[in-house]
Amino acid sequence: MNLILLGPPGAGKGTQAAMIVEKYNIPHISTGDIFRENIKNGTKLGKKAKAYMDKGELVPDSLVIEIAEDRLRKEDCKEGFLLDGFPRTVEQAVALDAFLADEGKKVDHVLDIDVDKPELLKRITGRRVCQACGATFHVTGMPPKVEGVCDKCGGELIQRADDTVETAENRIEVYNSQTKPLLDYYDRAGNIAHLDGAIGKDNLFVKITEILGE
Ligand code: AP5
């Protein structure tokens, strides 16, 4: 099962991804997480990506495509994968289709999660993530049992550097101008499902499992 999660920043892609990969036992590939890991480790790639991410801009296609393809070549992707945050431009989608065709594969389902802008801003600015295991919480919507502490591993919860109001506003604009055209791309391919992301995380997950099957 080869899946893509699409949607604006804060729509709940990472939240649904965690549930999908657990149920369907496929790897979760988040290009944003790959970049954040590189930033944390101070790599060359991390330094390059940080300059774009801090402003809410997209990292250049050439860099992202190479990283995504390297990850998709790994053994654990043989039986399927869940892409979260990639592709994000039509150029990335075309490159992905060509890469998969070469491997005798295709995208099976694209799940597009939509949420309106005021709700996105609330979700992004209230998000807290575990520095140790990456679990996601929200200060009011999905608070941890103990403030600042991850329920799952006891790690410290922090706010992402790009989760300020100003950067979030720009990320949403960048999504509308550069990523939204992908909806037409996958509408033409006929493999996209449009989902209302405002219905609560568990209800949304039920809708997703109805599409993907048991
Ligand atoms: P990336 O890490 O991919 O971030 P994003 O797409 O902006 O998405 P987010 O992680 O902000 O949100 P999400 O949809 O996962 O929401 P979440 O589940 O956390 O990208 C970051 C940056 O990296 C980009 O700006 C770019 O610079 C670069 N980059 C990455 N990939 C790239 C690419 N392919 N090309 C170029 N550049 C790239 O939920 C958000 C909050 O809402 C949480 O607090 C959560 O608890 C809450 N929540 C979730 N679901 C619900 C619900 N149903 N109801 C109520 N609250 C909910």
Side-chain angles (χ1 to χ4, degrees), residues 8-15 31-32 35-36 53 57-59 64 85-86 88 92 119 123 127 136-138 142 160 162 171 197 200-201:
K13 301 182 296 295
T15 302
T31 39
F35 291 135
R36 279 185 288 278
M53 290 170 77
E57 302 291 335
L58 294 186
V59 176
V64 186
F86 179 87
R88 236 179 170 98
Q92 291 178 21
E119 174 68 13
R123 288 188 187 184
R127 170 171 43 197
T136 301
F137 299 85
H138 189 277
M142 295 179 208
R160 259 169 54 176
D162 59 348
R171 285 162 60 200
K201 78 175 175 104

Side-chain angles (χ1 to χ4, degrees), residues 1 9 14 38 72 79 81 115 128 134 184 186:
M1 182 145 51
N38 276 274
L72 286 167
E79 301 300 321
F81 51 79
V115 173
R128 298 293 180 272
D184 283 342
Y186 288 117

Side-chain angles (χ1 to χ4, degrees), residues 91-110:
E91 189 176 340
Q92 291 178 21
V94 169
L96 174 66
D97 281 347
F99 171 83
L100 292 176
D102 273 355
E103 305 252 311
K105 296 180 186 170
K106 64 177 176 52
V107 173
D108 296 311
H109 296 280
V110 181

Side-chain angles (χ1 to χ4, degrees), residues 13 38 46 48 54 69 89 115 119 151 162 174 177 200:
K13 301 182 296 295
N38 276 274
K48 275 192 203 162
D54 281 353
E69 291 185 356
T89 62
V115 173
E119 174 68 13
D151 287 353
D162 59 348
V174 166
S177 61

Side-chain angles (χ1 to χ4, degrees), residues 4 6 10 25 55 59-61 78 82 98 100 103-104 106 109 138 141 147 157 165 169 177 194 197:
I4 294 175
L6 265 184
N25 199 21
K55 288 186 275 180
V59 176
D61 285 337
K78 292 264 177 300
L82 173 65
L100 292 176
E103 305 252 311
K106 64 177 176 52
H109 296 280
H138 189 277
E147 197 187 325
L157 299 184
V165 181
E169 292 257 11
S177 61
H194 301 285

